Amino acid sequence: MSLPPTPPLRRLGRAAAPLGWVGPAVALIGFAVIWPVYEMFRISFQHYSPDGFLLGSAGFKNYTKLFQDPNFGPIMMRSLIWVVAVVGLTMTISLGVAQLFNQRFPGRRIARWALIAPWAASVMMTAIIFRWMLDPNTGAINLLLRDLGLISRLGTSQADWLGRPDAAFLWMIAVAVFVSVPFATYTILAGLQTIPGEVYEAAKIDGASHLRTYFAITLPLLRPAILVATLINVMNVFNSFPIIWEMTRGGPGYETNTSTVYMFNLKQNFIGESASMSVVNFAVIIVMVLVFLRVSNWKKEVA
């Protein structure tokens, strides 16, 4: 005995039922991701006055002006150095800290909680605190360095760390690493805790040294966790804005600008060119992620 055919309205209702679950997520992605990206591309081809009035189409003039800007090349190179330095130092330090926190020692729980503080605190607040600490006249760091005899007196160019581009850039890298280490450490620590203890027991029986065990067992098994932590840090650091803005405003001049800060500085007077810089940043981060995934052979890790 054959069953009666399902009415068309009922079939349509069954087909549309999943929309109730995925619809809000799709709408959120469309509103928070797709629409801003579309507006970014659209504005990059428009000519706007500094007051925000549309003056007509600009074609590719915004991009031509951006690429011919003498500041563009150094800023992009500085952005690359910024990402490589911060992410490299962050991952190196986090590997050591995660390995330490994976051991049993008195006060381990308190130490783990303390590590969360830089991560839980506002990045902008952290940057402001470091800016105060580096004040050339009354900063705590300068007072300490003076007491240690490392700087002669306060209020001089020697003590004005954020007034000198090279010194300011190094301090901003240090603050970015300070903020980034907790997340990377906990990601790697989670990976360490998934490694079976039997693997280390087998290595010990085979007579493997601690160093050989670390490089032959621990690091290969940590590869997925390291991949996730590195990839997220690359995207976060490249798009980092509060640290640089609050500490130096990208100055003096454009000497400590990265591409993200430069995009904001352009927005003050050159809206179309700023949108073009946004498109370049968008393209760069996509290329960086694709290259990183290619080099790290992520498909092998997923499989």
PDB file of all heavy atoms in Angstrom, residues 133-136 138-154 158-161 164 167 171:
ATOM      1  N   MET A 133      53.937  54.797  31.989  1.00  0.00           N
ATOM      2  CA  MET A 133      55.165  54.273  32.589  1.00  0.00           C
ATOM      3  C   MET A 133      56.408  54.722  31.828  1.00  0.00           C
ATOM      4  O   MET A 133      57.509  54.775  32.396  1.00  0.00           O
ATOM      5  CB  MET A 133      55.107  52.746  32.638  1.00  0.00           C
ATOM      6  CG  MET A 133      54.057  52.196  33.599  1.00  0.00           C
ATOM      7  SD  MET A 133      53.802  50.413  33.412  1.00  0.00           S
ATOM      8  CE  MET A 133      55.397  49.793  33.924  1.00  0.00           C
ATOM      9  N   LEU A 134      56.239  55.057  30.542  1.00  0.00           N
ATOM     10  CA  LEU A 134      57.370  55.488  29.726  1.00  0.00           C
ATOM     11  C   LEU A 134      57.466  57.002  29.606  1.00  0.00           C
ATOM     12  O   LEU A 134      58.249  57.512  28.795  1.00  0.00           O
ATOM     13  CB  LEU A 134      57.252  54.871  28.324  1.00  0.00           C
ATOM     14  CG  LEU A 134      57.494  53.366  28.249  1.00  0.00           C
ATOM     15  CD1 LEU A 134      57.031  52.815  26.908  1.00  0.00           C
ATOM     16  CD2 LEU A 134      58.967  53.032  28.480  1.00  0.00           C
ATOM     17  N   ASP A 135      56.690  57.725  30.409  1.00  0.00           N
ATOM     18  CA  ASP A 135      56.755  59.181  30.381  1.00  0.00           C
ATOM     19  C   ASP A 135      58.187  59.628  30.680  1.00  0.00           C
ATOM     20  O   ASP A 135      58.813  59.146  31.636  1.00  0.00           O
ATOM     21  CB  ASP A 135      55.796  59.764  31.424  1.00  0.00           C
ATOM     22  CG  ASP A 135      55.753  61.277  31.375  1.00  0.00           C
ATOM     23  OD1 ASP A 135      56.595  61.897  32.048  1.00  0.00           O
ATOM     24  OD2 ASP A 135      54.899  61.817  30.665  1.00  0.00           O
ATOM     25  N   PRO A 136      58.749  60.533  29.854  1.00  0.00           N
ATOM     26  CA  PRO A 136      60.160  60.919  30.039  1.00  0.00           C
ATOM     27  C   PRO A 136      60.447  61.674  31.319  1.00  0.00           C
ATOM     28  O   PRO A 136      61.617  61.793  31.721  1.00  0.00           O
ATOM     29  CB  PRO A 136      60.438  61.798  28.808  1.00  0.00           C
ATOM     30  CG  PRO A 136      59.098  62.283  28.365  1.00  0.00           C
ATOM     31  CD  PRO A 136      58.123  61.181  28.689  1.00  0.00           C
ATOM     32  N   THR A 138      58.146  61.507  34.461  1.00  0.00           N
ATOM     33  CA  THR A 138      57.671  60.865  35.693  1.00  0.00           C
ATOM     34  C   THR A 138      57.360  59.383  35.522  1.00  0.00           C
ATOM     35  O   THR A 138      56.797  58.775  36.431  1.00  0.00           O
ATOM     36  CB  THR A 138      56.402  61.571  36.192  1.00  0.00           C
ATOM     37  OG1 THR A 138      55.383  61.500  35.169  1.00  0.00           O
ATOM     38  CG2 THR A 138      56.687  63.032  36.529  1.00  0.00           C
ATOM     39  N   GLY A 139      57.693  58.794  34.388  1.00  0.00           N
ATOM     40  CA  GLY A 139      57.354  57.393  34.138  1.00  0.00           C
ATOM     41  C   GLY A 139      58.082  56.444  35.068  1.00  0.00           C
ATOM     42  O   GLY A 139      59.272  56.617  35.367  1.00  0.00           O
ATOM     43  N   ALA A 140      57.352  55.398  35.523  1.00  0.00           N
ATOM     44  CA  ALA A 140      57.946  54.438  36.465  1.00  0.00           C
ATOM     45  C   ALA A 140      59.132  53.712  35.856  1.00  0.00           C
ATOM     46  O   ALA A 140      60.127  53.432  36.539  1.00  0.00           O
ATOM     47  CB  ALA A 140      56.875  53.438  36.909  1.00  0.00           C
ATOM     48  N   ILE A 141      59.045  53.386  34.575  1.00  0.00           N
ATOM     49  CA  ILE A 141      60.155  52.673  33.928  1.00  0.00           C
ATOM     50  C   ILE A 141      61.395  53.562  33.881  1.00  0.00           C
ATOM     51  O   ILE A 141      62.520  53.106  34.168  1.00  0.00           O
ATOM     52  CB  ILE A 141      59.749  52.223  32.512  1.00  0.00           C
ATOM     53  CG1 ILE A 141      58.671  51.138  32.603  1.00  0.00           C
ATOM     54  CG2 ILE A 141      60.958  51.697  31.735  1.00  0.00           C
ATOM     55  CD1 ILE A 141      58.126  50.678  31.271  1.00  0.00           C
ATOM     56  N   ASN A 142      61.220  54.834  33.549  1.00  0.00           N
ATOM     57  CA  ASN A 142      62.356  55.744  33.502  1.00  0.00           C
ATOM     58  C   ASN A 142      62.944  56.011  34.884  1.00  0.00           C
ATOM     59  O   ASN A 142      64.159  56.165  35.048  1.00  0.00           O
ATOM     60  CB  ASN A 142      61.954  57.062  32.840  1.00  0.00           C
ATOM     61  CG  ASN A 142      62.012  56.971  31.321  1.00  0.00           C
ATOM     62  OD1 ASN A 142      62.880  56.305  30.779  1.00  0.00           O
ATOM     63  ND2 ASN A 142      61.084  57.618  30.645  1.00  0.00           N
ATOM     64  N   LEU A 143      62.074  56.094  35.891  1.00  0.00           N
ATOM     65  CA  LEU A 143      62.567  56.266  37.262  1.00  0.00           C
ATOM     66  C   LEU A 143      63.435  55.083  37.667  1.00  0.00           C
ATOM     67  O   LEU A 143      64.493  55.250  38.291  1.00  0.00           O
ATOM     68  CB  LEU A 143      61.394  56.435  38.224  1.00  0.00           C
ATOM     69  CG  LEU A 143      60.615  57.752  38.122  1.00  0.00           C
ATOM     70  CD1 LEU A 143      59.356  57.697  38.991  1.00  0.00           C
ATOM     71  CD2 LEU A 143      61.495  58.925  38.546  1.00  0.00           C
ATOM     72  N   LEU A 144      62.980  53.879  37.312  1.00  0.00           N
ATOM     73  CA  LEU A 144      63.753  52.678  37.636  1.00  0.00           C
ATOM     74  C   LEU A 144      65.080  52.667  36.881  1.00  0.00           C
ATOM     75  O   LEU A 144      66.133  52.372  37.469  1.00  0.00           O
ATOM     76  CB  LEU A 144      62.932  51.429  37.294  1.00  0.00           C
ATOM     77  CG  LEU A 144      63.643  50.080  37.466  1.00  0.00           C
ATOM     78  CD1 LEU A 144      64.038  49.867  38.922  1.00  0.00           C
ATOM     79  CD2 LEU A 144      62.765  48.936  36.984  1.00  0.00           C
ATOM     80  N   LEU A 145      65.036  53.000  35.595  1.00  0.00           N
ATOM     81  CA  LEU A 145      66.268  53.008  34.793  1.00  0.00           C
ATOM     82  C   LEU A 145      67.248  54.066  35.291  1.00  0.00           C
ATOM     83  O   LEU A 145      68.470  53.863  35.260  1.00  0.00           O
ATOM     84  CB  LEU A 145      65.927  53.247  33.320  1.00  0.00           C
ATOM     85  CG  LEU A 145      65.142  52.132  32.626  1.00  0.00           C
ATOM     86  CD1 LEU A 145      64.790  52.532  31.206  1.00  0.00           C
ATOM     87  CD2 LEU A 145      65.933  50.823  32.624  1.00  0.00           C
ATOM     88  N   ARG A 146      66.717  55.192  35.770  1.00  0.00           N
ATOM     89  CA  ARG A 146      67.595  56.224  36.319  1.00  0.00           C
ATOM     90  C   ARG A 146      68.256  55.744  37.612  1.00  0.00           C
ATOM     91  O   ARG A 146      69.459  55.934  37.835  1.00  0.00           O
ATOM     92  CB  ARG A 146      66.814  57.503  36.586  1.00  0.00           C
ATOM     93  CG  ARG A 146      67.683  58.675  37.030  1.00  0.00           C
ATOM     94  CD  ARG A 146      66.866  59.779  37.631  1.00  0.00           C
ATOM     95  NE  ARG A 146      66.145  59.332  38.824  1.00  0.00           N
ATOM     96  CZ  ARG A 146      65.361  60.116  39.564  1.00  0.00           C
ATOM     97  NH1 ARG A 146      65.194  61.374  39.229  1.00  0.00           N
ATOM     98  NH2 ARG A 146      64.736  59.633  40.632  1.00  0.00           N
ATOM     99  N   ASP A 147      67.462  55.081  38.468  1.00  0.00           N
ATOM    100  CA  ASP A 147      68.011  54.572  39.723  1.00  0.00           C
ATOM    101  C   ASP A 147      69.062  53.493  39.478  1.00  0.00           C
ATOM    102  O   ASP A 147      70.001  53.343  40.275  1.00  0.00           O
ATOM    103  CB  ASP A 147      66.889  54.011  40.597  1.00  0.00           C
ATOM    104  CG  ASP A 147      65.945  55.102  41.099  1.00  0.00           C
ATOM    105  OD1 ASP A 147      66.350  56.289  41.067  1.00  0.00           O
ATOM    106  OD2 ASP A 147      64.804  54.780  41.497  1.00  0.00           O
ATOM    107  N   LEU A 148      68.896  52.752  38.386  1.00  0.00           N
ATOM    108  CA  LEU A 148      69.872  51.716  38.047  1.00  0.00           C
ATOM    109  C   LEU A 148      71.076  52.289  37.311  1.00  0.00           C
ATOM    110  O   LEU A 148      72.034  51.565  37.019  1.00  0.00           O
ATOM    111  CB  LEU A 148      69.211  50.631  37.189  1.00  0.00           C
ATOM    112  CG  LEU A 148      68.132  49.786  37.877  1.00  0.00           C
ATOM    113  CD1 LEU A 148      67.474  48.844  36.879  1.00  0.00           C
ATOM    114  CD2 LEU A 148      68.738  48.978  39.027  1.00  0.00           C
ATOM    115  N   GLY A 149      71.024  53.569  36.992  1.00  0.00           N
ATOM    116  CA  GLY A 149      72.135  54.211  36.307  1.00  0.00           C
ATOM    117  C   GLY A 149      72.162  53.983  34.814  1.00  0.00           C
ATOM    118  O   GLY A 149      73.180  54.259  34.157  1.00  0.00           O
ATOM    119  N   LEU A 150      71.057  53.498  34.242  1.00  0.00           N
ATOM    120  CA  LEU A 150      71.023  53.208  32.813  1.00  0.00           C
ATOM    121  C   LEU A 150      70.673  54.441  31.984  1.00  0.00           C
ATOM    122  O   LEU A 150      70.931  54.472  30.783  1.00  0.00           O
ATOM    123  CB  LEU A 150      70.010  52.085  32.530  1.00  0.00           C
ATOM    124  CG  LEU A 150      70.335  50.742  33.206  1.00  0.00           C
ATOM    125  CD1 LEU A 150      69.260  49.719  32.909  1.00  0.00           C
ATOM    126  CD2 LEU A 150      71.705  50.239  32.729  1.00  0.00           C
ATOM    127  N   ILE A 151      70.057  55.443  32.604  1.00  0.00           N
ATOM    128  CA  ILE A 151      69.881  56.739  31.953  1.00  0.00           C
ATOM    129  C   ILE A 151      70.332  57.813  32.937  1.00  0.00           C
ATOM    130  O   ILE A 151      70.190  57.657  34.157  1.00  0.00           O
ATOM    131  CB  ILE A 151      68.417  56.991  31.505  1.00  0.00           C
ATOM    132  CG1 ILE A 151      67.453  56.921  32.688  1.00  0.00           C
ATOM    133  CG2 ILE A 151      68.000  56.030  30.427  1.00  0.00           C
ATOM    134  CD1 ILE A 151      66.028  57.282  32.321  1.00  0.00           C
ATOM    135  N   SER A 152      70.898  58.885  32.407  1.00  0.00           N
ATOM    136  CA  SER A 152      71.510  59.887  33.283  1.00  0.00           C
ATOM    137  C   SER A 152      70.472  60.714  34.027  1.00  0.00           C
ATOM    138  O   SER A 152      70.525  60.847  35.244  1.00  0.00           O
ATOM    139  CB  SER A 152      72.424  60.800  32.453  1.00  0.00           C
ATOM    140  OG  SER A 152      71.680  61.397  31.397  1.00  0.00           O
ATOM    141  N   ARG A 153      69.505  61.289  33.318  1.00  0.00           N
ATOM    142  CA  ARG A 153      68.485  62.084  33.988  1.00  0.00           C
ATOM    143  C   ARG A 153      67.191  62.070  33.180  1.00  0.00           C
ATOM    144  O   ARG A 153      67.194  61.747  31.993  1.00  0.00           O
ATOM    145  CB  ARG A 153      68.968  63.523  34.195  1.00  0.00           C
ATOM    146  CG  ARG A 153      69.329  64.270  32.937  1.00  0.00           C
ATOM    147  CD  ARG A 153      70.055  65.576  33.253  1.00  0.00           C
ATOM    148  NE  ARG A 153      70.429  66.301  32.046  1.00  0.00           N
ATOM    149  CZ  ARG A 153      69.660  67.204  31.445  1.00  0.00           C
ATOM    150  NH1 ARG A 153      68.452  67.476  31.943  1.00  0.00           N
ATOM    151  NH2 ARG A 153      70.064  67.841  30.365  1.00  0.00           N
ATOM    152  N   LEU A 154      66.119  62.427  33.853  1.00  0.00           N
ATOM    153  CA  LEU A 154      64.800  62.407  33.220  1.00  0.00           C
ATOM    154  C   LEU A 154      64.586  63.663  32.389  1.00  0.00           C
ATOM    155  O   LEU A 154      65.307  64.642  32.503  1.00  0.00           O
ATOM    156  CB  LEU A 154      63.712  62.292  34.292  1.00  0.00           C
ATOM    157  CG  LEU A 154      63.788  61.080  35.208  1.00  0.00           C
ATOM    158  CD1 LEU A 154      62.669  61.117  36.237  1.00  0.00           C
ATOM    159  CD2 LEU A 154      63.730  59.783  34.422  1.00  0.00           C
ATOM    160  N   GLN A 158      67.105  61.008  25.833  1.00  0.00           N
ATOM    161  CA  GLN A 158      67.492  59.653  26.207  1.00  0.00           C
ATOM    162  C   GLN A 158      66.356  58.944  26.926  1.00  0.00           C
ATOM    163  O   GLN A 158      66.167  57.743  26.773  1.00  0.00           O
ATOM    164  CB  GLN A 158      68.736  59.699  27.101  1.00  0.00           C
ATOM    165  CG  GLN A 158      69.269  58.320  27.486  1.00  0.00           C
ATOM    166  CD  GLN A 158      70.409  58.405  28.481  1.00  0.00           C
ATOM    167  OE1 GLN A 158      70.598  59.430  29.137  1.00  0.00           O
ATOM    168  NE2 GLN A 158      71.172  57.319  28.612  1.00  0.00           N
ATOM    169  N   ALA A 159      65.585  59.685  27.715  1.00  0.00           N
ATOM    170  CA  ALA A 159      64.473  59.101  28.465  1.00  0.00           C
ATOM    171  C   ALA A 159      63.166  59.125  27.687  1.00  0.00           C
ATOM    172  O   ALA A 159      62.194  58.496  28.105  1.00  0.00           O
ATOM    173  CB  ALA A 159      64.288  59.860  29.779  1.00  0.00           C
ATOM    174  N   ASP A 160      63.149  59.830  26.559  1.00  0.00           N
ATOM    175  CA  ASP A 160      61.919  59.945  25.771  1.00  0.00           C
ATOM    176  C   ASP A 160      61.837  58.776  24.792  1.00  0.00           C
ATOM    177  O   ASP A 160      62.035  58.922  23.586  1.00  0.00           O
ATOM    178  CB  ASP A 160      61.898  61.283  25.027  1.00  0.00           C
ATOM    179  CG  ASP A 160      60.559  61.543  24.368  1.00  0.00           C
ATOM    180  OD1 ASP A 160      59.593  60.799  24.671  1.00  0.00           O
ATOM    181  OD2 ASP A 160      60.460  62.484  23.554  1.00  0.00           O
ATOM    182  N   TRP A 161      61.513  57.599  25.327  1.00  0.00           N
ATOM    183  CA  TRP A 161      61.474  56.384  24.514  1.00  0.00           C
ATOM    184  C   TRP A 161      60.469  56.493  23.373  1.00  0.00           C
ATOM    185  O   TRP A 161      60.756  56.083  22.244  1.00  0.00           O
ATOM    186  CB  TRP A 161      61.118  55.186  25.390  1.00  0.00           C
ATOM    187  CG  TRP A 161      62.083  54.899  26.483  1.00  0.00           C
ATOM    188  CD1 TRP A 161      61.940  55.208  27.802  1.00  0.00           C
ATOM    189  CD2 TRP A 161      63.356  54.256  26.374  1.00  0.00           C
ATOM    190  NE1 TRP A 161      63.036  54.801  28.517  1.00  0.00           N
ATOM    191  CE2 TRP A 161      63.920  54.202  27.665  1.00  0.00           C
ATOM    192  CE3 TRP A 161      64.068  53.713  25.304  1.00  0.00           C
ATOM    193  CZ2 TRP A 161      65.153  53.625  27.916  1.00  0.00           C
ATOM    194  CZ3 TRP A 161      65.304  53.139  25.535  1.00  0.00           C
ATOM    195  CH2 TRP A 161      65.846  53.104  26.837  1.00  0.00           C
ATOM    196  N   ARG A 164      61.343  58.648  20.111  1.00  0.00           N
ATOM    197  CA  ARG A 164      62.323  58.164  19.145  1.00  0.00           C
ATOM    198  C   ARG A 164      61.742  56.964  18.414  1.00  0.00           C
ATOM    199  O   ARG A 164      61.384  55.966  19.061  1.00  0.00           O
ATOM    200  CB  ARG A 164      63.619  57.782  19.855  1.00  0.00           C
ATOM    201  CG  ARG A 164      64.364  58.995  20.422  1.00  0.00           C
ATOM    202  CD  ARG A 164      65.644  58.600  21.119  1.00  0.00           C
ATOM    203  NE  ARG A 164      65.410  58.034  22.446  1.00  0.00           N
ATOM    204  CZ  ARG A 164      65.941  56.906  22.892  1.00  0.00           C
ATOM    205  NH1 ARG A 164      66.704  56.189  22.108  1.00  0.00           N
ATOM    206  NH2 ARG A 164      65.700  56.488  24.125  1.00  0.00           N
ATOM    207  N   ALA A 167      63.141  53.280  19.202  1.00  0.00           N
ATOM    208  CA  ALA A 167      62.852  52.862  20.572  1.00  0.00           C
ATOM    209  C   ALA A 167      61.356  52.663  20.782  1.00  0.00           C
ATOM    210  O   ALA A 167      60.931  51.698  21.429  1.00  0.00           O
ATOM    211  CB  ALA A 167      63.392  53.907  21.551  1.00  0.00           C
ATOM    212  N   TRP A 171      59.378  49.218  21.970  1.00  0.00           N
ATOM    213  CA  TRP A 171      58.503  49.160  23.130  1.00  0.00           C
ATOM    214  C   TRP A 171      57.099  48.697  22.738  1.00  0.00           C
ATOM    215  O   TRP A 171      56.450  47.945  23.489  1.00  0.00           O
ATOM    216  CB  TRP A 171      58.440  50.529  23.809  1.00  0.00           C
ATOM    217  CG  TRP A 171      59.531  50.740  24.807  1.00  0.00           C
ATOM    218  CD1 TRP A 171      60.614  51.553  24.694  1.00  0.00           C
ATOM    219  CD2 TRP A 171      59.654  50.096  26.085  1.00  0.00           C
ATOM    220  NE1 TRP A 171      61.411  51.464  25.807  1.00  0.00           N
ATOM    221  CE2 TRP A 171      60.838  50.580  26.687  1.00  0.00           C
ATOM    222  CE3 TRP A 171      58.889  49.159  26.765  1.00  0.00           C
ATOM    223  CZ2 TRP A 171      61.266  50.154  27.945  1.00  0.00           C
ATOM    224  CZ3 TRP A 171      59.319  48.738  28.030  1.00  0.00           C
ATOM    225  CH2 TRP A 171      60.486  49.222  28.598  1.00  0.00           C
TER     226      TRP A 171
END
